[in-house]
Amino acid sequence: MQPRKPQQIARELALLSLSQLPVNPKKLEKLPDEQLVAKLVLGAVRTLTTEVQDTLNNAAGELQRSNDRLLTSQTRASDLNTARTMLQEAITYTQTAINQLGTAVDFPELIQLANQDKEVRNYAKGIIITVNDNRHVIDQIISDALVDWQVTRLAQIDRDILQIATAEMKFMGVPASIAINEAVELAKRYSGDEGHRFINGVLRRVAEQKQTA
């Protein structure tokens, strides 16, 4: 596996800490480097912990519903098919949780690079501040690109990935192809099985809007 570039590490750090930081992330600019890294890493750990717990809770719920359906069914095909679908959902949730836990293996590298590489710190901070300063505009852009869906109904991790990629395209001068590819890779690591396809589709529509604007 090729070593990841500083901006790739920064995107991941920004993604995982974005929802856990103070209401005014501009305060991050005034923090010494070691305190900045500590806040970003703590936010990342909290986000990952919450995501894994929520995903496992969803898996447990689907397993329970599947078990209840089997116990109360009269072996009708429709009951068995429903139970099978619930069981498949539970497996999908569990696999997502396993993937999320697997990313924890990279945490020592993420922390080390954030501490040692100023580009990682600055780019992560830049993403967070850009998203915060332009959140209303960014969410409107994403909303315009969604089909029969609302930004507020998105899973937090998916919303954050879309916000980061849109901020990079709209405000940070990152080419659409790069922003989209990086967002898809983040979604493969942290979102559900279909998450990366959904995010790819939404961001391609964002890029098309940007071209026609």
Side-chain angles (χ1 to χ4, degrees), residues 1 10 17-18 22-23 26 34-35 42 50 74 78 87 96 100 104 108 141 157 159 165 192 199 204 207:
M1 180 182 296
S17 56
L18 188 60
V23 176
K26 282 195 172 180
E34 62 274 10
Q35 290 185 27
L42 179 59
T50 301
Q74 299 177 1
S78 60
L87 182 58
T96 300
Q100 291 167 340
I141 292 170
I157 202 76
R159 188 192 310 178
I199 283 170
R204 289 193 180 282

Side-chain angles (χ1 to χ4, degrees), residues 39 52 61 81 104 109 125 130 141 176 183 187:
K39 278 191 174 294
V52 171
N81 286 336
E109 177 196 30
K125 181 170 65 176
T130 301
I141 292 170

Side-chain angles (χ1 to χ4, degrees), residues 42-88:
L42 179 59
V45 171
R46 286 175 174 169
T47 295
L48 191 55
T49 300
T50 301
E51 287 292 321
V52 171
Q53 187 60 58
D54 288 348
T55 305
L56 289 175
N57 287 342
N58 288 334
E62 288 300 317
L63 281 172
Q64 185 61 56
R65 284 188 285 274
S66 174
N67 183 62
D68 291 345
R69 178 58 65 100
L70 287 173
L71 289 176
T72 59
S73 74
Q74 299 177 1
T75 66
R76 291 178 300 186
S78 60
D79 289 327
L80 293 176
N81 286 336
T82 300
R84 186 181 295 113
T85 299
M86 291 174 175
L87 182 58
Q88 185 58 52

